[in-house]
Structure formats: structure tokens, C-alpha cells
Amino acid sequence: KEEAISLVTRVKYGAVSATVPQTSLHRSCRWYSVSHLSVKERIDQKRQAALQGGGQQRIEAQHKRGKLTARERVQLLLDPESFVETDMFVEHRCADFGMEQDRNKFPGDSVVTGRGRINGRLVYVFSQRGNSILCDILFVLQDFTVFGGSLSGAHAQKICKIMDQAMTVGAPVIGLNDSGGARIQEGVESLAGYADIFLRNVMASGVIPQISLIMGPCAGGAVYSPALTDFTFMVKDTSYLFITGPDVVKSVTNEDVTQEELGGAKTHTTVSGVAHRAFENDIEALLNLREFFNFLPLSNQDPAPIRESHDSSDRLVPSLDSIVPLESTKAYDMLDIIHAIVDERDFFEIMPNYAKNIVVGFARMNGRTVGIVGNQPKVASGCLDINSSVKGARFVRFCDAFNIPIITFVDVPGFLPGTAQEYGGIIRHGAKLLFAFAEATVPKITIITRKAYGGAYDVMSSKHLRGDVNYAWPTAEVAVMGAKGAVQIIFRGKENQAEAEAEYVEKFANPFPAAVRGFVDDIIEPATTRKKICQDLEMLASKKQVNPWKKHANIPL
Amino acid sequence: MTLWMIGNMAAHSVPSTLKRLLFAVKYSPLQSRCCAVQREAQYSTISIPSEKTFDKILIANRGEIACRVIKTCKKMGIQTVAVHSDVDSSAVHVKMADEAVCVGSAPTSKSYLNMDAIMDAIRVTGAQAVHPGYGFLSENKEFAKRLAAEGVAFIGPDTHAIQAMGDKIESKLIAKAAKVNTIPGFDGVVKTAEEAVKIAQEIGYPVMIKASAGGGGKGMRIAWNDEETREGFRFSSQEAASSFGDDRLLIEKYIDNPRHIEIQVLADKHGNALWLNERECSIQRRNQKVVEEAPSTFLDPVTRRAMGEQAVQLAKAVQYSSAGTVEFLVDSKKNFYFLEMNTRLQVEHPITECITGLDLVEQMIRVAKGYQLQHTQDDIPINGWAIECRVYAEDPYKSFGLPSIGRLSQYQEPLDLDKVRVDSGIQEGSDISIYYDPMISKLITYGATRAEALGRMEDALDNYVIRGVTHNIPLLREIITHPRFVSGHISTNFLPEVYPDGFKGHQLEADAKRELLASAAVLYITAELRSAKVLGTQRVASTPVECSHWELCVELGEERQDVEISKSGTVYTVEMDGAKVEVWGALNLASPLLPLTINGTQRMLQCLSRDAAGVIVLQYLGTLFKVRVLSKLAAELNSYMPEKVSEDTSSILRSPMPGTVVAVSVKPGDTVAEGQEICVIEAMKMQNSLTAVKQAKVKSVHCKPGETVGEGDLLVELE
């Protein structure tokens, strides 16, 4: 039975007094250093303290905030009883500012690390203790700064250890981030800790999938670890990502902004593109992460996973025959096509609310994970602009790094014109998507559903960029531009523009010009698209293609 | 203005015909397989091969009825021509027909009601006859006259019969003269509200007021006192003038708790007429039929004969030829009163075909060619029982059905069931648009007895897969299983009486709820187990998830239920509340249909969605239930998750991109339905239709056609 006693801790530096709730458990933590207990008892007590986290009261406080504890999160994320913890006994080594006192030490420090299984598949995981006693003490100690810190050298060391092992074994790392930032008491050691993690994030990039789920504050240097990982997910209303908080923003730029506006889930999934998706709460986020994990191979040495599928690979999809409107100016929803084609209508969309003119995400074809890229005619006509190019490029590169075949649905009227785009560097950013598709050596299947105009046609996984199988639907129009614009240039100043336009449409607004040149492999009935893709993927499973040796390519960043 | 419009339309129709033909060429290899093999209908008339009728028939209609007519034409070896609007160019009836002609743009006044364009289509294709279906031009005497003038046969009655029966007042006078029972009332021009009140008082309340020229129950108002009579007079006379250009009104005795029973008649041009028994169409909402059956549970042979004979008397009185329907109201004492005569094929004609074995469309074509009827009254049987449900794209939870629109992302008719007929004009991928009737199909089941037909209807509704639009199957299934309906104790007030507070979906009993929760839990486990089934050899071995016992928590609405599941072989035993539910079946996670055997009873459930957070939407006993299945741990922790209030951004419509406003389809004060187009923005050579995300009244409109708007500009505010 826990009893809560309030202790007033006077801290001389910073002249801050604070009330830190203490429990019998914490007192017991202090006792073991007195060494009047046997080793066995001390082990049990430390383990107990580590498992209990901050004690019942602290857990309740975390629950009241609508958040789960680090350990509950791990339990929900992993298969039952599969979690194997490491470094439960690690403590921080800070010897300054009273941190050396036993009551400011905590077994396991402010992070839970280890390995476990998701649907039987190996994964390494760390879960930061946003609620740990250390965080609170430190938060109180440092409330004159923007944010309390909790990343200690020990904390970083624990994370590095599992990352190193994940690399040697070849299994993904999932980080559940909930941390205030650097531990100022530790000073440079804490900074070193960050850098150690950053380096490992970079080394692991493209070797093992790295996923960050932001479940609390993540500010300052801490943000760069999620930024370096492959996917960053957030929890709505309780997670924030920013370099500097609202107070510093106010003092530097005199902007009034809330935490939510500055770095909340909505900002990062719609405006900045920092996060790839946001979920309603901790539970939905963790359950979705399990679902997401199923799509990924464990490392770059593994092929895309194939899960048992209940959807027959030769299923015809008659509804696709009428999905593209007859008027080429009318929009339709590319997601309708994707849902109808993939296994069980199951599509895990990445960045669904950012640069919506391109759709990217994971699905399965006959059980095999594929990456889907599609122009979205419903939004800004499906044109390519800065944001959609970057979004697409990053996704394509992830798929290529991890052997996930890419299926591209093309309906693109071109790159978006305008000063905003040109000044923003559409040339540089558009080049990223071009680079990514060209460089990719995974199986690439492309379906032109309607427009494939101009340079955007080349970019969208065209035959010229080593597309393995390129199809056109009967509604496809591969051309330099739309009829009206083309006629204005070709027949400038001439009468009978309408007639010329009709001629252009007859000649170019159909799949033949591309088909006769072999730029598309076949013109297919839309209803058969799923069947064809499944067959092609089977054939391409043994595809081998190697780019010339290089230290690394120089993608136009 | 009108002249210009017609001129313009006529000029327009020729190039569109060309376009259509081009389209047909472009897509011809795709088309042949799109015409799915249609299941044989439940009529068995044997065509006489030597009996030549027409070489080519044009069907001046769309949707299911156009398809229905084409089917019989194919059977009779007649070439078919479909007409269609531009948005219908890939509709099923277009694909089924041998030829198709575009007759204008989406609004019916510019296409399916565009007589000039349809006449052009007849000339271009050389069709010898026109079947008008129902609605549109089916009871338009002008159209019939123009056809006659060009020597094209109209598959329907002669012009004078259409005219005589098309007018409510005239038809009653003729009926009276033909000794058909009529409702006491006044028919003629009513000049003032006070005059209307005087008439109403003479007849005695309640009275019904409507525009003389209006068809069906549309615009019908019931008045119980003088005040309501005045109001009804105002509305109806306005409507009469604006909609029909004919300001005559009909005021008559309103029969409380009536049944709507109609007699199908069939007559030829040689003075022969038959009555093909009755159809009971009492289940209606807002005076539109929802469920129909033949025969009626209410009629005895004497009443049936009396009604049939009166119907034939009326048909003969107007020298009726072709198929027609005489509608009666029948009160609780089996007194029947003539309501009106519909001089066309009725929507609900299939149930008559089921019980009589006649193909009404075939008979209409024969009669139009001038052949005599093949049957005598004694040949007309009542074989078994047939029920028809009108499956609509509408939300039954809102006043028994408000239209919904959308694209049929998945669509599967229950045609593999025996004695089920589905008359539809749509297929997977079709759009249900705001332009036309939101009927998806007519689902007809047939059996030796009423109970058999009803049982089949239950199965058929459970097996019917419709995704992408909201539909009324929940309501239909509740109606056909309601004890009052099953006992035959129905009237036209059935729905408001049975559901006084509106339709709320199926109310689950304890047993049924357990079945539902158990099914959801089993589906969840199946998906969980499948998640671990990674195929092929793996570099890092998977730990097999070997589990045969689970503890879960299932939530339905506010209720939470702990369940324990154990699996042995393929059978799941789900324990909850001390009760056991055994579930087994083909659990295919890709299929929308979930055929399960629950405690020994076969049930067809449907799974609409299943997400990572454990939310499973199931259709069970017709109604959709949102169930959430979580592990026990997740459920416990879930109680700490805060309730979120969703932000309401649905009432403001902003431009999603810079562009030009092409069209604004609403004005302040309009009511828009969910998904209805509000305005169209053109950008990047593309027209983007912006739609309402909820049903609401338009508060203000901030843009006009031709205006340039920037991204995020406020376009329209809703209330």
C-alpha cells in the first residue's frame, strides 16, 4: 500500500523551491544504497522500482493527462509477453547540482529499452519516460528554462545499445518519444548523447527501418532523431515537435503562437510535412503502428514481406472501366482506384493530409507489400509541385532502400507553374522525385490512367527511367501538353484553331503515340489491372539491377 | 428563350451523336464483357417466333426500366436503341443496348425529356417503335402525338387514353361514368381559399388537396380543418401553376388508414381487356412506395374480382390498349375507391409477372404491333407470392429516406439465391447522382407462399452488397420482418405508426446482441491470427503466435462486454455474461460477406470496415453496428483516453486552390444534401467540384461564376 508524503526539497542553485511528491517506493530506492539489504533483495527492489516507474500516483497523473506510461506503451505495441528489457539497472552518472543524491537516481533512468515481437516479428524498441520521476524533478529544477530536460548520457547510451544490436541483427527500431530535451545538469554529456543517437540514426538509415512515434513533447535537439528516422507519427493534442518553444519564439521573433500551433500534430501533418501521420490517442497510435509494422521488411537484406492474402490475385475490377470521366477536365479520386486494386481495400496512406495532390502509401498485392504512388486528380488537378515532389521522392527512396516494389498511377497535367513555385525552387525539388524514381532498382510498375503530360510524364516512373512494366489505360493521353496549349504554339496565329485542336486530340490524346514507340508495354483494360500487376510482381520478384558503384549519389537536396 | 434552347439543343444533339459513336468505337472491345450475363427473369411467356413485331425499338428511358425493356427485346430478337444523357454515357442500359444516342446534358429536361433530341435519335437510328418505360415521357400525350405523326409506334396506350387518364378530374368523371367506385370529392378549378374551405366542409374532413395535373402522391396535402384547407389550397395552387401550368385542383374525401391496392390491366387494340390481379403497395413513405407484394393478404376472391372487373370496365371505357394500372384505395371494410389510372408500365410490375407468368413488356410490344391478347381471363393465375423491395440510395434514418449520392465502390446483387430477381440499371462503379431517381434496384423474391417469399427476401437483403452510398436495406429488412407486416395488418400509415419517432435501425435483443459481439470478436481474432502469417523463409525467424484462448473486450455504443474466446479446430466458442456462443464459418477477410453459423443458425453478416484500432462495422440483421474489439489490456488503458470533440469545419467551404469559379450551384436559403455540388472551380484546365460535407442550409455565397479565387478564399457558408 502506497502512502504519499509531500517533501519540500530546497534547491540552492536557481533558488527554486519545489514540492516533489514522494512515496514509500522512492524512499526504498534510497535505502538500498545503505546496503543493509542482501544483494538479492536489492536486485528485487531495484527491479520493482524500475517496473513501477514513478509509482501509482505518478502513473495516475500521466493517465489524467490522457497519456499512457512508457511501459504500458511498450506492452500495447508488442505481442503479449514478448518484451525483453535491457539495461533496467542503468542509472545516470551526473554528479553535479545534487543529481548525485540517491533520491534523484532511478533504475533504468528515463527510458525503457529492449526488444520484442510484433505479430511474431522481431523489433527493437525504446520508450521514453515522459512521466518519470526524473523528468518531474528536473522539470521543477529547471523551470526557468523553456523545457525540462531528461535525456541523460545514460539514457542515450541505452538507446544506442539497442540500435547497435538492431543493426547487427537486422531488425527495425521503433522509438516512442516523450522527452523534454537535453538534461542541462549533465551539460555536454547530454549533447554527446544526442549526437551518439543521431550518428546511429544516420548509419541505420537504409539498413533497418526506423520509426518514431511522438507521444509527448519533443523539443530542441531531440527533434532531430525523429527527423532522421524513416517515419514520424504523432499523437493528436498530446505531442509536440519544435526546435524552440513558444516562449523563445516570442522573445526572438515576437510571434504569439501556442505549442499546438507551433508544433502540434496538425501543423506537422498538414503544413510542415515533418510528421507522416497523426492518430487520435496513444492507443490508436500504437495499434496503428502494429498494423504499419506488418508492411515493412525487417531490414534491407530482406525482401518485402508476403502475408497470407484472402483476396484472389486474378480478381477483376469492373468498376475501374468507368472510373475515369470522359471529360478530361473532370476530376476523380485516385484513392478509389487504389482501394479497388489492392488486397482487401487495405491501404496505409502516408502523409494523407500533406501535399494531397500526390498519394503515397503501403498496400499489398497478393499478400506482398508494395509502395503505391499516385497523382491525385481531385486535388490541384494532380499536378506536381514542390511539396508533392518531396513527399513522393522520400517515399520512393524508402521503398527502394527496403526492397518494396513501387506501383505508380499516373494522371499528371504537369508541374505547377507560378512565381511561388519557381522562387521556392520547384526545379530543385522536382528533381528529387525524378532522381528517386530513376535511381530506384526495385520492381517498378506504372499505370497511366489518364494524363501524362510534359516533363511530369518522364518523372512519374516512366519507361525511360527504367520502369519495368508500364501500362496505359485506354483513357491515357501521353503528350507534351494538353491540346489547347499545344495548338496555340504549333498553329500560332493561324485560323481554325478548333479544327487544329481536334486534330491534335485525335493524334495525341490517346495511348497510341506512346504505345507505338514502346514507351508503354501494353494498353490494358482497367478491369484487369489488379490481375496484371499481381502477375508482373511475381515475375519481377527475382529482378536484379545494380547502380554503378559510388560512395553515394548526390541527390539535389 | 425557350425557342433558343430547343434550337440549341437540336443543333447540339448531332455532334453529340457523333461523339457517342466515336466513343463506341473507341471502347468496343471493352464493352462486350461489361454486359454481364443477366439472370433469367421469373416470367415464362413463350414467345411465338413467327409473330413478327418490330425490328428495332428505342427505349426513351434510363436505369433499371431501360435495362428491363432491353432484356425482353433481346429475348424477342428485337434490336434496341438506348438514349442517354452525357453523364450516363457509360451507364448499364447504354452498354446493354445495340445502339446508343446521347440526347443532351445531365438535367432531365435537357436529355430524357428532350423530345426534339429523342425524335432525332429515332430518325437517325430508324427505330420503329418507342418504349417509354415509366416516368419521363411515358405519360406525355405530346410525345405520343409526335411519334404518331412520324409513324413510329408508341408502346403504350393511345393518346386519348393517356390524356383522359392523365387528368385527375377527367379520369374520375370517366370512372364514374364507367360505374367504377370513386371517392366523394370535388374536381375542378377552385378560385379562392374560401371556396376550397366550403368544398371541404361539404365533403367532410379530412380532405385531400392536390394539383389536378400532378401524378402519384406528389404535392398531395391533407387537411383536417378549415385552416389547413386554406394552407393546402395555397401550396397546391402555387404548385399547380408553377410545375404543371395548369391551375386546377382536386379536393376529395381523405380515407383514413387506407390500403393502396392496384389492379394490373392488359388490353389490346381489339377491345379485349384482362385484369392480371392486384398488387398491394401500402408500405409507403411520403406517398412513395417502398415495399409491394402480389397478391394482397387483404383481398378475398369476391373483392378481387369486383376490383378487377371495374378496372377492366374503366380500361374499356377509354379504349385502353397496352398495360396499365388502376389504383384503388381500400378501406378497412374492403370498400374500394378508384384513385387514378397509370397509363404505363409500373415500377412494381415484376411482382405481377412473378405470380402470373406473363412478361408484361413483351405483351406491351405485341399489343403495340396490333396483335390480340394471347390469354383469356381464365388463363390468369395467381401462382404463389411475390414481394418487391425498392432498394434506394437514401438514408432511412432521416424521415424514412433522404437521398444520398455517391459511387458504388462495391456492388453485388444476391443473384445466386434461388427465386430472386433483381431489376437494376447500375453496376459496381456506377454513380448515383443528384440528377436522377436514387433507386438502386428492385429486389423481388418469389415463393409458393408468402412466408417463403418473405424468408427469401430476408436472405436476399442480407446477401446484397452495396458500398459507397447509404442505402435503405436496414429499413426494408425491418419492414419485412415486422410482426405487423408479417401478419398482413398494414396500411399506408404503416411507417409513421410503427416508427412514430422515426426509424432507428434494428433494436437488438440480448441474444442477438451476443451473436453480434461474438461475430465481431471472431472476426478480430481471425485478422489477428492472419497478421502473423508471413509466407516464405525468413532471415530472422518469426515467433509463431500459437494461441487458442483470448480475453477481449467488445464495445457497442456505451456498453462494454468482456469476452473469452477459445478456438478448437475451426469453431470458436465465445463466452460472455455466462452465456456461450459458438461461431464458425468461412472467414474470408477479403469478402464483404461473412457467412457464419452462430449457435447452429446460419447468418449472413457483412463487414463494411475493419481498422487497426479495433473498430469493426458489421451489417447484422440489416442494420449497421459499429463495434470495437480490443484486447483486455488495451480496453483497460483505453478508459484513460480522453473523449475528443470533433472540430466542426463542415459549415465553411473554402477554395482548396487558386482558380476560376465556373459555376455556383446554390444560392442563400437553399438546402443542400451531403455530397451535393456547391460550386465548381477550374484550375489547371481541370474542373473541381466542391461539395457539401453535410446537409445544411446555405447561409451566404461569397463567389460568383467567372470570378478568380485564391487558395483558402471563403466561397460559401452553410448554417
Side-chain angles (χ1 to χ4, degrees):
Chain A
K1 195 178 129 191
E2 305 272 354
E3 56 164 337
I5 302 167
S6 279
L7 277 184
V8 176
T9 317
R10 188 156 295 281
V11 187
K12 55 183 178 198
Y13 20 82
V16 178
S17 69
T19 306
V20 178
Q22 291 261 322
T23 63
S24 56
L25 188 74
H26 304 132
R27 289 199 303 276
S28 71
C29 294
R30 188 146 41 96
W31 290 336
Y32 46 68
S33 60
V34 187
S35 287
H36 63 268
L37 296 167
S38 74
V39 171
K40 173 88 176 65
E41 279 170 322
R42 282 167 60 196
I43 293 171
D44 286 350
Q45 231 160 19
K46 282 218 175 194
R47 203 179 284 282
Q48 197 57 31
L51 288 175
Q52 280 281 320
Q56 199 55 39
Q57 217 184 22
R58 205 161 288 278
I59 292 171
E60 276 166 19
Q62 179 83 342
H63 288 166
K64 271 208 191 91
R65 285 193 286 257
K67 291 162 74 176
L68 301 181
T69 67
R71 221 166 265 283
E72 286 166 345
R73 287 168 177 166
V74 170
Q75 260 182 301
L76 270 185
L77 175 66
L78 302 176
D79 292 347
E81 288 155 41
S82 72
F83 183 51
V84 180
E85 189 168 347
T86 47
D87 289 341
M88 207 187 230
F89 298 102
V90 165
E91 291 173 359
H92 72 76
R93 302 172 296 269
C94 180
D96 301 308
F97 313 116
M99 290 296 288
E100 69 281 9
Q101 291 169 36
D102 282 338
R103 65 177 160 77
N104 283 339
K105 288 200 171 178
F106 207 77
D109 206 64
S110 49
V111 64
V112 177
T113 59
R115 65 168 198 271
R117 303 267 170 178
I118 293 178
N119 289 309
R121 301 167 72 225
L122 182 64
V123 63
Y124 285 83
V125 60
F126 68 85
S127 178
Q128 293 175 323
R129 287 169 142 162
N131 68 319
S132 84
I133 184 163
L134 280 166
C135 291
D136 276 21
I137 293 170
L138 295 162
F139 192 87
V140 171
L141 286 173
Q142 302 176 8
D143 67 355
F144 52 89
T145 67
V146 180
F147 244 93
S150 78
L151 190 131
S152 64
H155 179 133
Q157 187 195 331
K158 283 182 70 172
I159 294 174
C160 290
K161 189 193 265 184
I162 60 145
M163 289 186 75
D164 289 342
Q165 194 168 83
M167 285 282 279
T168 55
V169 171
V173 174
I174 294 178
L176 308 178
N177 299 65
D178 186 352
S179 144
R183 192 171 294 175
I184 295 183
Q185 292 83 351
E186 292 202 0
V188 74
E189 185 166 352
S190 175
L191 295 183
Y194 276 126
D196 291 342
I197 298 172
F198 296 158
L199 177 69
R200 279 164 182 79
N201 283 138
V202 173
M203 289 301 110
S205 184
V207 180
I208 50 171
Q210 302 179 81
I211 306 161
S212 303
L213 176 55
I214 316 298
M215 310 186 84
C218 183
V223 298
Y224 282 109
S225 178
L228 291 167
T229 59
D230 298 304
F231 295 99
T232 303
F233 300 118
M234 293 181 79
V235 178
K236 288 180 192 168
D237 304 325
T238 49
S239 71
Y240 309 100
L241 274 167
F242 38 68
I243 300 282
T244 47
D247 293 349
V248 177
V249 169
K250 173 78 183 164
S251 67
V252 175
T253 67
N254 205 27
E255 287 170 294
D256 275 314
V257 67
T258 62
Q259 280 193 14
E260 181 63 35
E261 286 163 0
L262 186 63
K266 196 175 172 198
T267 302
H268 287 313
T269 51
T270 60
V271 181
S272 73
V274 165
H276 294 88
R277 219 165 136 168
F279 302 101
E280 282 307 321
N281 56 43
D282 280 13
I283 293 188
E284 289 199 10
L286 292 162
L287 294 178
N288 272 285
L289 194 49
R290 278 177 68 84
E291 185 91 347
F292 176 68
F293 185 81
N294 290 345
F295 285 100
L296 308 181
L298 295 188
S299 78
N300 63 357
Q301 302 162 61
D302 301 290
I306 305 174
R307 190 183 73 175
E308 183 186 279
S309 167
H310 290 181
D311 206 347
S312 70
S313 63
D314 57 359
R315 171 169 61 88
L316 294 179
V317 194
S319 72
L320 295 182
D321 286 336
S322 60
I323 196 161
V324 177
L326 294 174
E327 304 90 323
S328 67
T329 49
K330 235 176 129 185
Y332 59 94
D333 193 345
M334 190 56 90
L335 282 168
D336 284 345
I337 295 185
I338 296 169
H339 284 139
I341 284 180
V342 302
D343 285 2
E344 300 171 22
R345 308 182 67 80
D346 183 10
F347 178 57
F348 194 98
E349 194 174 349
I350 299 293
M351 300 178 110
N353 295 316
Y354 178 79
K356 284 152 93 170
N357 39 347
I358 200 164
V359 176
V360 301
F362 295 101
R364 295 184 182 85
M365 295 297 286
N366 201 19
R368 187 193 312 267
T369 297
V370 292
I372 307 258
V373 180
N375 306 112
Q376 173 58 288
K378 228 179 82 178
V379 180
S381 311
C383 69
L384 288 177
D385 57 9
I386 293 172
N387 292 347
S388 60
S389 298
V390 174
K391 171 179 167 183
R394 182 151 173 81
F395 180 76
V396 167
R397 293 196 97 212
F398 175 83
C399 292
D400 186 43
F402 291 101
N403 313 316
I404 297 170
I406 299 162
I407 297 168
T408 309
F409 293 96
V410 184
D411 186 348
V412 63
F415 281 98
L416 183 65
T419 50
Q421 289 292 312
E422 296 291 356
Y423 296 172
I426 179 69
I427 298 175
R428 188 159 59 87
H429 297 293
K432 291 175 184 172
L433 185 58
L434 171 60
F435 197 108
F437 270 122
E439 152 191 67
T441 55
V442 288
K444 289 187 281 193
I445 299 173
T446 308
I447 296 96
I448 301 173
T449 60
R450 190 167 62 180
K451 291 173 204 157
Y453 287 169
Y457 153 71
D458 283 336
V459 170
M460 293 303 294
S461 195
S462 63
K463 198 78 195 162
H464 323 288
L465 301 183
R466 303 190 296 186
D468 294 298
V469 183
N470 293 55
Y471 292 123
W473 281 5
T475 40
E477 308 168 13
V478 185
V480 174
M481 58 174 78
K484 207 169 207 147
V487 167
Q488 278 167 7
I489 295 166
I490 304 172
F491 301 98
R492 186 173 305 218
K494 286 204 179 147
E495 283 169 33
N496 262 340
Q497 294 270 321
E499 203 175 277
E501 202 177 311
E503 192 189 337
Y504 187 91
V505 167
E506 176 72 24
K507 271 195 177 144
F508 294 111
N510 59 59
F512 294 116
V516 294
R517 289 165 179 81
F519 298 161
V520 294
D521 299 299
D522 198 1
I523 303 168
I524 61 169
E525 287 180 41
T528 63
T529 309
R530 171 177 165 82
K531 188 177 148 187
K532 300 244 179 210
I533 294 175
C534 287
Q535 286 169 351
D536 294 334
L537 286 171
E538 206 57 53
M539 176 269 292
L540 289 166
S542 60
K543 177 187 177 185
K544 279 215 167 58
Q545 191 168 44
V546 183
N547 288 333
W549 186 92
K550 54 186 98 176
K551 188 172 172 195
H552 61 69
N554 187 14
I555 187 165
L557 292 173
Chain B
M1 181 64 190
T2 320
L3 272 175
W4 177 84
M5 290 273 281
I6 292 167
N8 188 37
M9 284 326 292
H12 173 69
S13 65
V14 178
S16 49
T17 313
L18 272 174
K19 218 193 269 174
R20 171 62 227 163
L21 287 175
L22 276 173
F23 173 74
V25 173
K26 193 174 173 190
Y27 289 85
S28 50
L30 300 183
Q31 272 191 36
S32 52
R33 44 158 302 287
C34 291
C35 304
V37 181
Q38 301 290 335
R39 194 185 150 88
E40 228 167 276
Q42 244 81 47
Y43 36 74
S44 56
T45 327
I46 300 145
S47 312
I48 305 160
S50 60
E51 213 180 65
K52 179 144 181 356
T53 53
F54 302 100
D55 297 322
K56 193 187 267 186
I57 290 178
L58 180 140
I59 299 101
N61 214 305
R62 66 180 299 282
E64 67 89 14
I65 195 62
C67 298
R68 163 72 190 87
V69 174
I70 293 171
K71 265 180 233 174
T72 289
C73 289
K74 286 192 182 218
K75 190 179 76 179
M76 296 173 76
I78 301 168
Q79 295 276 303
T80 51
V81 181
V83 293
H84 63 89
S85 65
D86 53 4
V87 293
D88 269 347
S89 54
S90 54
V92 177
H93 76 279
V94 174
K95 290 176 188 166
M96 276 177 78
D98 298 304
E99 289 170 71
V101 182
C102 181
V103 288
S105 54
T108 52
S109 60
K110 296 193 172 155
S111 48
Y112 296 102
L113 290 172
N114 181 350
M115 277 190 241
D116 290 332
I118 292 173
M119 293 309 293
D120 283 345
I122 295 167
R123 266 177 240 122
V124 169
T125 57
Q128 297 159 340
V130 170
H131 197 298
Y134 53 74
F136 295 137
L137 298 170
S138 61
E139 290 170 288
N140 187 310
K141 55 185 191 249
E142 198 57 41
F143 183 58
K145 265 183 205 158
R146 284 181 69 168
L147 290 176
E150 302 231 352
V152 176
F154 177 75
I155 302 173
D158 294 332
T159 320
H160 74 269
I162 299 177
Q163 179 160 6
M165 292 295 108
D167 186 298
K168 298 289 167 292
I169 295 168
E170 206 187 327
S171 71
K172 287 188 88 177
L173 293 175
I174 295 169
K176 246 182 212 165
K179 298 199 167 58
V180 176
N181 304 355
T182 54
I183 304 170
F186 175 90
D187 19 20
V189 176
V190 184
K191 287 216 163 59
T192 64
E194 288 320 308
E195 199 182 331
V197 169
K198 216 178 98 199
I199 294 164
Q201 283 169 347
E202 273 167 25
I203 297 167
Y205 285 112
V207 296
M208 183 206 73
I209 307 169
K210 73 174 188 180
S212 230
K218 273 181 191 158
M220 186 171 103
R221 278 175 189 84
I222 292 139
W224 296 79
N225 54 44
D226 293 355
E227 190 42 49
E228 284 175 14
T229 306
R230 284 185 198 102
E231 198 182 316
F233 167 79
R234 267 197 304 279
F235 277 118
S236 299
S237 51
Q238 260 168 29
E239 187 173 75
S242 64
S243 303
F244 308 106
D246 177 345
D247 52 7
R248 282 173 308 161
L249 290 185
L250 182 64
I251 303 177
E252 63 182 22
K253 174 106 186 146
Y254 174 65
I255 294 158
D256 205 10
N257 260 334
R259 285 168 175 259
H260 177 122
I261 298 175
E262 58 190 29
I263 300 285
Q264 175 75 52
V265 294
L266 181 64
D268 63 18
K269 296 186 180 191
H270 306 277
N272 304 309
L274 300 172
W275 48 275
L276 307 182
N277 299 312
E278 79 280 9
R279 293 186 290 256
E280 161 122 38
C281 315
S282 296
I283 307 293
Q284 307 185 345
R285 52 124 178 82
R286 300 194 302 275
N287 293 309
Q288 287 187 309
K289 297 162 189 167
V290 183
V291 178
E292 298 108 338
E293 63 185 307
S296 163
T297 53
F298 192 58
L299 295 194
D300 51 62
V302 177
T303 316
R304 176 174 298 127
R305 171 168 296 273
M307 288 172 75
E309 281 169 355
Q310 288 200 6
V312 164
Q313 282 163 27
L314 178 62
K316 287 187 170 164
V318 290
Q319 282 114 52
Y320 195 86
S321 67
S322 192
T325 299
V326 182
E327 295 189 344
F328 292 97
L329 285 183
V330 183
D331 70 14
S332 50
K333 295 180 187 67
K334 291 187 186 162
N335 297 314
F336 56 91
Y337 304 96
F338 169 72
L339 198 58
E340 61 180 2
M341 182 173 188
N342 295 317
T343 58
R344 54 171 154 90
L345 190 63
Q346 293 274 94
V347 176
E348 59 274 22
H349 75 274
I351 50 175
T352 297
E353 294 184 329
C354 285
I355 61 160
T356 60
L358 264 71
D359 178 338
L360 287 176
V361 174
E362 182 183 346
Q363 296 304 322
M364 287 176 84
I365 294 171
R366 287 185 68 253
V367 167
K369 184 66 184 179
Y371 288 108
Q372 294 215 12
L373 294 181
Q374 292 166 309
H375 306 83
T376 63
Q377 191 61 51
D378 294 339
D379 298 336
I380 307 301
I382 298 183
N383 284 331
W385 214 285
I387 319 264
E388 176 182 279
C389 283
R390 297 196 189 183
V391 181
Y392 278 102
E394 58 183 24
D395 185 349
Y397 295 87
K398 296 175 186 160
S399 39
F400 302 115
L402 286 184
S404 90
I405 52 172
R407 183 172 181 276
L408 290 167
S409 55
Q410 274 177 297
Y411 182 75
Q412 210 174 301
E413 292 172 352
L415 291 174
D416 49 342
L417 299 181
D418 192 30
K419 291 186 176 161
V420 171
R421 169 175 165 183
V422 185
D423 279 20
S424 68
I426 43 92
Q427 59 185 177
E428 194 166 294
S430 293
D431 266 316
I432 307 283
S433 71
I434 51 162
Y435 298 112
Y436 310 113
D437 189 68
M439 190 161 81
I440 297 173
S441 76
K442 303 182 307 204
L443 179 61
I444 303 115
T445 59
Y446 175 66
T449 63
R450 188 168 183 259
E452 204 182 307
L454 282 175
R456 288 217 169 92
M457 183 58 83
E458 255 181 72
D459 286 348
L461 289 169
D462 285 344
N463 278 276
Y464 205 148
V465 178
I466 304 169
R467 303 281 188 274
V469 295
T470 314
H471 54 77
N472 67 338
I473 283 181
L475 176 65
L476 293 172
R477 201 183 184 287
E478 281 302 287
I479 293 171
I480 60 134
T481 53
H482 195 279
R484 243 189 86 177
F485 181 85
V486 173
S487 71
H489 172 48
I490 53 177
S491 77
T492 53
N493 301 325
F494 179 84
L495 288 178
E497 278 172 20
V498 172
Y499 308 105
D501 305 322
F503 179 64
K504 302 263 191 282
H506 183 80
Q507 303 301 309
L508 289 171
E509 310 265 327
D511 279 359
K513 188 181 287 174
R514 272 197 289 273
E515 287 190 9
L516 171 70
L517 299 187
S519 307
V522 167
L523 188 63
Y524 172 87
I525 294 292
T526 309
E528 281 288 292
L529 289 176
R530 199 271 303 266
S531 290
K533 285 187 183 146
V534 184
L535 309 179
T537 48
Q538 287 160 76
R539 190 181 49 79
V540 181
S542 264
T543 314
V545 181
E546 272 165 13
C547 195
S548 59
H549 185 262
W550 297 267
E551 287 187 12
L552 301 175
C553 179
V554 188
E555 293 174 12
L556 176 65
E558 297 293 297
E559 244 174 283
R560 277 178 60 175
Q561 179 73 56
D562 286 328
V563 302
E564 279 186 43
I565 304 178
S566 45
K567 185 188 183 194
S568 88
T570 55
V571 180
Y572 292 88
T573 308
V574 187
E575 280 182 71
M576 67 183 95
D577 257 354
K580 270 190 190 178
V581 184
E582 278 201 345
V583 182
W584 63 280
L587 285 154
N588 181 318
L589 293 169
S591 165
L593 290 173
L594 282 181
L596 296 176
T597 306
I598 307 173
N599 283 342
T601 313
Q602 292 196 357
R603 296 275 188 206
M604 182 59 82
L605 278 77
Q606 295 194 20
C607 176
L608 279 91
S609 70
R610 194 162 44 77
D611 74 13
V615 177
I616 298 176
V617 179
L618 289 176
Q619 180 182 317
Y620 174 63
L621 301 175
T623 296
L624 296 187
F625 294 97
K626 189 172 158 189
V627 184
R628 188 164 189 206
V629 188
L630 290 171
S631 68
K632 223 172 165 187
L633 173 73
E636 254 165 51
L637 296 176
N638 198 42
S639 59
Y640 303 123
M641 297 296 112
E643 289 271 334
K644 300 220 171 162
V645 197
S646 55
E647 197 186 6
D648 186 27
T649 52
S650 56
S651 53
I652 288 173
L653 185 76
R654 292 181 183 280
S655 175
M657 73 210 114
T660 316
V661 180
V662 178
V664 181
S665 329
V666 297
K667 54 184 190 304
D670 284 1
T671 304
V672 288
E674 189 181 317
Q676 191 182 325
E677 180 179 288
I678 289 182
C679 61
V680 179
I681 305 264
E682 189 176 295
M684 289 287 293
K685 299 162 260 170
M686 287 268 300
Q687 296 196 348
N688 299 273
S689 168
L690 308 181
T691 54
V693 288
K694 62 171 188 189
Q695 191 191 331
K697 209 169 182 183
V698 177
K699 192 172 160 194
S700 55
V701 177
H702 300 271
C703 59
K704 50 180 186 283
E707 213 169 65
T708 310
V709 291
E711 185 177 329
D713 283 5
L714 182 64
L715 300 175
V716 170
E717 272 183 280
L718 303 176
E719 269 173 20

